[in-house]
Amino acid sequence: MEKTSTGVWNSCLQIIKDNIPAQSFKTWFEPIKALRLEGNILTIQVPSLFFYEWLEEHYVGLLRKTVKKQLGDSGRLEYNIVVEKSSNSNPYTTNMPSNGNGAEGKRQSMPVPVALNKDIKNPFVIPGLKKLQVDPQLNQNYTFDNFIEGDCNRLARSAGYAVATKPGGTSFNPLMLYGGVGLGKTHLAQAIGNEIKRILPDKLVIYVSCEKFCQQFVDSLKNNTINDFVNFYQAMDIIIMDDVHNFSGKDKTQDIFFHIFNHLHQSGKQIILTSDKPPKDLAGLEERLLSRFKWGLSADMQVPDLETRMAILKKKMYTDGIELPNEVVEYVANNIDNNVRELEGAMVSLLAQATLNKKEIDLNLAKSMLKNFIKNANKEISMDYIQKLVCEYFEVPVEMVKSKTRKREIVQARQISMYLAKSHTKTSLKSIGEFFGGRDHSTVIYACQTVEDLIDTDKKFKAYVHDIQKKLRMS
Ligand code: ADP
Ligand code: MG
């Protein structure tokens, strides 16, 4: 029986189907049409140059094998590419050329022998097409300038800055910023994008949340514009994807992002990701994608310490042109200690209420207004705060308490801090010791014993401790 192009191609497809993931098969092989079979040359029609390039890059081995299996060792494959002659450079308004009968106007067919045309790297640079312009979708308010540096974010910030000045040119690719909610991941990721646009305005930067990316992917499947979708992201110089933990369970979208990631990474483009967990703890993500996330640098963003929280609040006040008494700022920073977003929220709400009530904000007003923000009024006092209070009381520098010095007044401040930490927090003796300058738990036991003895025997000392305890309770 004489072979037909469709018959041969269908046999090829049977084999291909067994060798690649179902989604890849659907995306890259179902749209192909068998055109003709001339001798041992099978010609297939693919919907775009990009499509052809993709097949050549990813499936050439598989295609060669299957074609040879059907047509013998001399079997060859040729492509017929449907080319859009003029095109709108925005993939969201461009229709992907369908693999119909080629009757729709603006099209031409172009036979391309296998392994030629390797120089056509990207459909966006086909002569005659305008250079792609993209709105990076960045929020201009997120900059390095207004991102406060602290121990909690130093690595992430400096890696981010390095990436911003040399996108694709550092070993931080991808740069993955991870940490809990409201700790500045989005701010920093966007600051990188804004900085790149500022110093390298021609770079194509795109910021996209993972969720939006997933939605765009679903839409493009529905509208049969998957090529445009992939083209668009592959044409970027810098992609910033926020909250990649949201890929969890979305296998198809992960698959497509995996290919986009590879393409960008191979071409030296910069990838910046944020996530609520480090790559090793991300559940529901394919191993191959996770392994790529680990290629560059993962930098964590932690809860800022008291000093950094105060600095963030002060910077925000300065930017917004407002003033609050220092004790109010301190109160807010002290009591909202796990999330920068809540910290800012508390201050905004404080200001709003003060404006409405036409009252000056003092500590008492702040306390009564912030009840909603401070979930547990009797919440545990932090060791940071105890240390600060004790040091202020005795007028000794905070760093000295953590140092090795045996000066009398420092030892006293250190021992009282340890005693208060033991009685006012649920922290273990071991952690208390570590906090106050890396000491062991027996030092803490000894400190507590000494303080108790002195309270019993030294009236002045007793008064000090009671004074500080009163201040602690007031906070
Ligand atoms: P995440 O993305 O980690 O949930 P965001 O980046 O949205 O957190 O940060 C929440 C809010 O806190 C934003 O308004 C951001 O500007 C602010 N913020 C977080 N960290 C800092 C910081 N180090 N300096 C200044 N503002 C910060
Ligand atoms: Mg965020």
Side-chain angles (χ1 to χ4, degrees):
M1 201 178 80
E2 199 167 319
K3 287 178 172 171
T4 63
S5 61
T6 315
V8 170
W9 181 237
N10 282 344
S11 308
C12 290
L13 287 181
Q14 290 299 326
I15 301 171
I16 292 168
K17 202 172 190 169
D18 287 340
N19 283 286
I20 65 172
Q23 183 54 36
S24 308
F25 182 80
K26 200 166 172 283
T27 309
W28 301 109
F29 288 91
E30 279 187 4
I32 297 176
K33 254 181 76 174
L35 267 195
R36 57 183 170 268
L37 182 65
E38 286 161 339
N40 55 2
I41 304 174
L42 172 68
T43 306
I44 56 173
Q45 187 178 60
V46 296
S48 69
L49 269 173
F50 170 74
F51 214 100
Y52 154 73
E53 193 192 77
W54 185 278
L55 290 173
E56 275 291 274
E57 224 168 286
H58 296 85
Y59 301 113
V60 68
L62 185 60
L63 278 166
R64 192 175 292 136
K65 261 190 232 153
T66 47
V67 167
K68 289 198 170 181
K69 190 153 191 210
Q70 300 307 317
L71 300 174
D73 267 356
S74 59
R76 272 172 51 204
L77 185 68
E78 280 192 2
Y79 295 86
N80 179 288
I81 301 173
V82 179
V83 180
E84 192 86 358
K85 256 175 136 184
S86 76
S87 166
N88 183 327
S89 55
N90 180 347
Y92 295 111
T93 57
T94 308
N95 288 322
M96 176 182 126
S98 76
N99 49 352
N101 56 17
E104 301 100 303
K106 292 201 259 171
R107 294 228 184 132
Q108 68 179 39
S109 284
M110 187 172 81
V112 185
V114 181
L116 279 184
N117 266 355
K118 271 312 219 183
D119 55 329
I120 302 175
K121 268 287 166 228
N122 188 316
F124 286 106
V125 295
I126 296 168
L129 286 188
K130 272 209 290 195
K131 193 171 180 315
L132 184 62
Q133 304 255 335
V134 171
D135 174 352
Q137 308 283 321
L138 290 164
N139 177 342
Q140 314 245 327
N141 294 326
Y142 291 133
T143 62
F144 276 103
D145 251 7
N146 60 19
F147 186 80
I148 303 288
E149 181 171 350
D151 287 343
C152 54
N153 59 32
R154 190 155 292 128
L155 172 67
R157 190 186 187 281
S158 52
Y161 196 73
V163 162
T165 39
K166 226 176 155 198
T170 69
S171 52
F172 310 148
N173 200 13
L175 173 63
M176 157 83 94
L177 309 170
Y178 68 89
V181 183
L183 297 182
K185 301 182 296 292
T186 299
H187 185 142
L188 186 55
Q190 295 228 16
I192 299 171
N194 280 318
E195 185 67 8
I196 294 174
K197 278 311 249 185
R198 193 180 69 78
I199 45 185
L200 303 163
D202 286 341
K203 291 277 178 198
L204 293 177
V205 178
I206 189 78
Y207 166 88
V208 65
S209 69
C210 180
E211 232 177 328
K212 187 166 167 193
F213 181 87
C214 294
Q215 190 53 52
Q216 287 173 345
F217 173 68
V218 171
D219 289 348
S220 74
L221 276 181
K222 226 185 294 166
N223 303 330
N224 205 16
T225 53
I226 188 79
N227 273 9
D228 293 333
F229 173 78
V230 174
N231 281 352
F232 176 77
Y233 283 104
Q234 292 197 335
M236 295 300 120
D237 296 310
I238 291 99
I239 177 168
I240 303 168
M241 184 172 289
D242 210 353
D243 295 328
V244 294
H245 48 267
N246 289 331
F247 268 135
S248 176
K250 301 196 175 92
D251 295 353
K252 288 179 191 161
T253 326
Q254 284 182 44
D255 203 38
I256 215 82
F257 185 64
F258 176 75
H259 292 300
I260 293 171
F261 184 105
N262 286 344
H263 182 98
L264 293 176
H265 199 274
Q266 274 162 22
S267 352
K269 305 299 173 65
Q270 181 69 48
I271 301 149
I272 297 146
L273 310 164
T274 79
S275 159
D276 66 355
K277 291 183 201 71
K280 68 176 175 47
D281 297 336
L282 279 173
L285 264 76
E286 282 181 44
E287 196 43 50
R288 58 180 191 162
L289 195 55
L290 282 181
S291 83
R292 279 177 179 55
F293 288 179
K294 294 176 199 159
W295 274 357
L297 176 77
S298 302
D300 65 336
M301 305 194 55
Q302 292 180 353
V303 177
D305 56 20
L306 182 63
E307 214 179 26
T308 313
R309 294 200 297 277
M310 298 264 295
I312 292 174
L313 284 179
K314 284 184 178 157
K315 180 87 187 178
K316 186 143 180 66
M317 280 161 38
Y318 178 79
T319 315
D320 296 355
I322 48 179
E323 261 183 66
L324 288 177
N326 210 32
E327 56 178 0
V328 172
V329 178
E330 251 186 76
Y331 177 78
V332 176
N334 250 315
N335 285 281
I336 300 178
D337 57 3
N338 59 350
N339 180 323
V340 182
R341 193 175 293 135
E342 277 186 24
L343 197 64
E344 289 185 346
M347 205 168 66
V348 169
S349 132
L350 209 58
L351 285 169
Q353 296 194 44
T355 319
L356 286 176
N357 299 335
K358 298 202 169 52
K359 275 192 201 161
E360 283 282 303
I361 302 173
D362 61 15
L363 189 56
N364 282 335
L365 193 64
K367 280 186 184 173
S368 67
M369 282 176 180
L370 288 185
K371 275 196 196 111
N372 299 338
F373 278 90
I374 300 162
K375 289 179 203 102
N376 179 3
N378 300 318
K379 73 182 194 64
E380 201 177 300
I381 295 160
S382 75
M383 289 203 288
D384 258 333
Y385 186 58
I386 291 174
Q387 175 177 261
K388 184 172 169 296
L389 213 61
V390 173
C391 290
E392 268 174 16
Y393 189 84
F394 292 112
E395 294 178 345
V396 299
V398 171
E399 2 19 291
M400 291 294 276
V401 171
K402 291 193 173 181
S403 74
K404 297 243 173 303
T405 184
R406 304 280 321 150
K407 268 193 181 160
R408 220 186 73 81
E409 73 267 26
I410 305 289
V411 174
Q412 176 176 289
R414 188 186 297 137
Q415 290 183 331
I416 293 181
S417 300
M418 287 179 171
Y419 168 82
L420 293 173
K422 179 171 172 274
S423 49
H424 288 76
T425 75
K426 294 194 189 84
T427 319
S428 68
L429 295 177
K430 184 165 176 280
S431 306
I432 295 176
E434 273 162 14
F435 182 84
F436 291 102
R439 295 173 158 84
D440 67 19
H441 80 288
S442 60
T443 312
V444 183
I445 295 175
Y446 177 75
C448 296
Q449 192 58 54
T450 310
V451 171
E452 278 164 22
D453 289 349
L454 282 170
I455 290 175
D456 288 343
T457 54
D458 182 338
K459 263 198 194 148
K460 216 161 133 201
F461 186 89
K462 185 176 176 180
Y464 292 160
V465 177
H466 280 183
D467 255 6
I468 301 171
Q469 279 176 323
K470 210 160 102 195
K471 282 181 190 287
L472 268 183
R473 276 194 294 273
M474 264 169 48
S475 59

